[in-house]
Amino acid sequence: EGRDLLWRYTLKALPKIYNMPCQQCGEDETSEHIFFNCKAHIKKTQEIFNYTLTKCGHTTHTWNVKILNHLQIALVANLIAIIFEKIWHKRNKLIHDEKEIIIHRQQVIRELIKTQRAAWDRTQAVINKTLRIKSKQRPEEQNKLDSLISLKLLQFSRQWNSPLHAIELPKHLKKYNNSLSTFYK
């Protein structure tokens, strides 16, 4: 849902009532206000965002619209999407159920780890398929497939690997791990 909200935000297509005051702080509710300027959550959102970035081994950033320039790294993009979803859920609970909920950093971290695991599972599925294909190929083709496996591991490491949650590299893949710094454990 968070990535969908990011997409809707960039297209200015959020499902909201226009000219309605923010239910959390009373200011004019715009899309930018909901996610980046609402005084009711901005301080807590900034703390959660930077705490999680630091735990992931990334540098901190100010939580504002400019963070959308950092979507090229999957881990950071998914962190932003998760926070968007939490803010949107908080807003909607207040509007529709008149319930105030608190965004906890542990919730955000758990969801980010779950997303990272899913990305690792997808990466492993591609690698395992490549290994099955490799076993039926000639030696020169096997070398190309070895390079592809190393590249997939490198791509995962650059996009997802962080001290926040370690990925244990299975023994049968360790020989392809020649250019990676660390898969955190």
Side-chain angles (χ1 to χ4, degrees), residues 11-75:
L11 293 176
K12 299 182 186 328
L14 286 170
K16 63 184 193 66
I17 300 169
Y18 291 90
N19 299 321
M20 183 174 104
C22 175
Q23 298 296 303
Q24 298 178 78
C25 71
E27 292 186 22
D28 289 342
E29 185 182 71
T30 63
S31 297
E32 187 172 341
H33 174 81
I34 292 168
F35 295 106
F36 298 110
N37 300 329
C38 182
K39 293 178 182 102
H41 70 76
I42 192 67
K43 187 174 179 180
K44 181 74 172 170
T45 301
Q46 180 71 57
E47 184 270 323
I48 290 170
F49 183 59
N50 281 332
Y51 176 84
T52 310
L53 282 175
T54 301
K55 286 289 187 186
C56 292
H58 291 273
T59 56
T60 60
H61 297 283
T62 301
W63 180 261
N64 60 34
V65 75
K66 292 178 183 176
I67 62 161
L68 299 179
N69 295 328
H70 298 277
L71 298 178
Q72 65 274 19
I73 298 173
L75 187 116

Side-chain angles (χ1 to χ4, degrees), residues 80-124:
I80 294 167
I82 290 165
I83 292 173
F84 258 55
E85 189 273 326
K86 295 293 182 194
I87 292 169
W88 189 252
H89 180 71
K90 175 182 171 65
R91 171 200 175 268
N92 287 344
K93 272 294 194 192
L94 187 59
I95 290 172
H96 301 295
D97 299 338
E98 297 180 2
K99 288 185 180 178
E100 180 72 32
I101 62 169
I102 298 169
I103 301 171
H104 296 283
R105 72 178 176 204
Q106 284 310 110
Q107 292 172 321
V108 171
I109 289 170
R110 272 193 303 276
E111 286 192 39
L112 188 59
I113 289 170
K114 189 169 93 176
T115 305
Q116 180 192 30
R117 283 186 192 139
W120 175 239
D121 290 345
R122 288 189 304 273
T123 299
Q124 275 190 294

